[in-house]
Amino acid sequence: MWSDVVKMERGYIEKDIKDFLYFAEFGDNKSPNTIKSMKKDLIQLAEYLKQIEKIEKSMEIDSVMVRGFILQLQESGITKRTINRKLSSIRSFCKYLVKNKIVNQSPVEVIASPSYYVEKPDILTLEEINRLRNVISLKNTNGLRDRLILELLYSSGITSVELLGLGEEVFDLDRRELYVTNGKSNRVVFFSERTREFFKQYIESKKEKYKERYSPDILFVNGSATRLSDRSLRRIIDRYALKAGIEREISPYSFRHTFAVHMLSNGMDILYLKELMGHVTLESTKVYQELIKVKI
């Protein structure tokens, strides 16, 4: 089991994972969700290595052990997407070990990333976007809110966390610019003319509905005039996807992925897209370039 008290000696797997996660968060500016996922993946790897392979030191990890871990995941019915994510976490960790001279060579260097494990991000077609638009009623405040959410996610490429944290003051309607902060970095993104029009309609309707409870500090509110939660956002998207006849599962990130692919397909420079999406490394953005190559 994962120790409550992590060994403090450098070179022990648990200690190295702890140091790596600290570096990833404060050195590489990884998001809280990414850190949480990597921690879960690496703890699972450490437990496998300790219980099955009987090792505790990073320098003892080899490619055969990593393959055994992946095989165990496959046999337990873990999805391809999850396996690919875990491999990515292990690669990043091993790269850190090499860089800090804890190991001489990455034990996953010889393990290719087989397409078998890779599942492409879910991309919406323009026809599906329009179907979603058409099933949203614009007769009330919530409908205007939901349409604004769709237009903003699709035209700006921001994350759901960034979306839910927005206030009204970060919008420049004349320039169609949005100032986004995620707690670690700031950037300016752009939004569509549709977004601007629905922003105006929603704000007007929101003021009228909530009156003294209205606050410009929170853009997207629930029925109690408090900030919309991530769970509620996902329920909203699920509901409209069902109404629009989209049978596969989509999420707020489907719009972000769609934004990236559509921008690249229309000739946007990949370095510019990297800045718009707030990616720390270009490798994250190149994923979408590969999707275009295979004509997703």
Side-chain angles (χ1 to χ4, degrees):
M1 293 296 292
W2 180 255
S3 302
D4 293 329
V5 180
V6 176
K7 291 183 176 69
M8 296 309 293
E9 184 180 344
R10 186 171 181 259
Y12 280 87
I13 297 171
E14 295 179 7
K15 164 63 174 168
D16 291 338
I17 289 174
K18 181 181 178 182
D19 290 346
F20 163 70
L21 293 172
Y22 182 88
F23 170 77
E25 182 173 5
F26 298 105
D28 265 357
N29 292 321
K30 298 293 186 182
S31 71
N33 284 340
T34 299
I35 297 299
K36 183 178 179 180
S37 292
M38 289 196 301
K39 181 178 180 180
K40 179 180 179 181
D41 297 338
L42 295 175
I43 286 175
Q44 188 175 7
L45 172 66
E47 291 176 345
Y48 170 85
L49 293 172
K50 185 175 182 179
Q51 295 173 7
I52 305 301
E53 303 292 347
K54 309 301 181 185
I55 67 167
E56 294 186 349
K57 292 187 176 182
S58 299
M59 65 179 296
E60 296 176 314
I61 306 172
D62 62 31
S63 60
V64 175
M65 296 174 185
V66 177
R67 290 180 190 276
F69 174 63
I70 298 303
L71 180 61
Q72 185 186 74
L73 294 176
Q74 288 179 286
E75 291 175 346
S76 64
I78 300 297
T79 65
K80 297 176 185 177
R81 185 189 299 274
T82 301
I83 290 176
N84 191 53
R85 188 202 71 209
K86 291 181 185 295
L87 268 175
S88 177
S89 297
I90 296 170
R91 288 184 192 283
S92 297
F93 173 57
C94 291
K95 183 177 179 181
Y96 167 86
L97 294 178
V98 172
K99 183 177 180 180
N100 288 272
K101 299 182 179 179
I102 298 171
V103 301
N104 294 323
Q105 184 177 7
S106 169
V108 295
E109 192 173 288
V110 296
I111 301 177
S113 294
S115 58
Y116 175 80
Y117 295 123
V118 179
E119 288 193 358
K120 59 191 178 187
D122 190 53
I123 309 299
L124 293 160
T125 65
L126 183 56
E127 188 265 341
E128 288 173 326
I129 293 288
N130 285 330
R131 278 158 56 187
L132 288 166
R133 286 169 170 153
N134 291 336
V135 297
I136 300 175
S137 171
L138 304 178
K139 296 180 180 179
N140 54 51
T141 304
N142 283 354
L144 291 169
R145 176 201 66 193
D146 298 345
R147 181 64 185 272
L148 176 59
I149 286 173
L150 184 154
E151 299 297 347
L152 186 54
L153 285 174
Y154 174 52
S155 68
S156 69
I158 62 176
T159 69
S160 58
V161 172
E162 292 167 341
L163 177 105
L164 295 172
L166 292 174
E168 297 171 23
E169 73 285 350
V170 295
F171 285 78
D172 184 332
L173 295 183
D174 293 331
R175 298 167 65 93
R176 286 197 282 125
E177 293 180 352
L178 170 60
Y179 184 73
V180 179
T181 179
N182 58 21
K184 294 183 181 295
S185 61
N186 306 313
R187 70 187 190 279
V188 174
V189 299
F190 305 92
F191 51 85
S192 64
E193 178 63 35
R194 275 196 181 101
T195 301
R196 175 164 58 187
E197 293 308 309
F198 283 110
F199 180 92
K200 293 177 181 178
Q201 292 180 45
Y202 170 59
I203 298 304
E204 182 180 348
S205 180
K206 187 171 70 162
K207 287 178 178 178
E208 182 179 344
K209 178 177 180 178
Y210 296 106
K211 297 182 171 58
E212 69 277 358
R213 292 185 295 164
Y214 161 79
S215 170
D217 295 332
I218 305 176
L219 178 57
F220 295 112
V221 298
N222 56 28
S224 302
T226 58
R227 195 176 299 278
L228 195 69
S229 69
D230 180 71
R231 178 176 295 183
S232 295
L233 174 61
R234 291 176 181 275
R235 286 175 177 170
I236 288 169
I237 291 174
D238 286 345
R239 183 170 70 250
Y240 289 125
L242 182 63
K243 290 181 67 175
I246 300 174
E247 296 182 354
R248 69 185 187 284
E249 183 179 349
I250 64 173
S251 72
Y253 265 85
S254 300
F255 296 91
R256 178 170 165 86
H257 298 322
T258 302
F259 164 82
V261 168
H262 286 189
M263 290 300 101
L264 286 175
S265 297
N266 284 281
M268 179 176 284
D269 181 78
I270 192 169
L271 292 175
Y272 186 43
L273 178 63
K274 170 183 175 292
E275 297 304 315
L276 287 180
M277 299 195 73
H279 288 157
V280 176
T281 67
L282 187 59
E283 294 305 311
S284 297
T285 321
K286 284 182 177 178
V287 170
Y288 301 108
Q289 202 171 48
E290 293 302 314
L291 293 178
I292 293 174
K293 288 180 182 178
V294 298
K295 298 182 181 180
I296 189 168

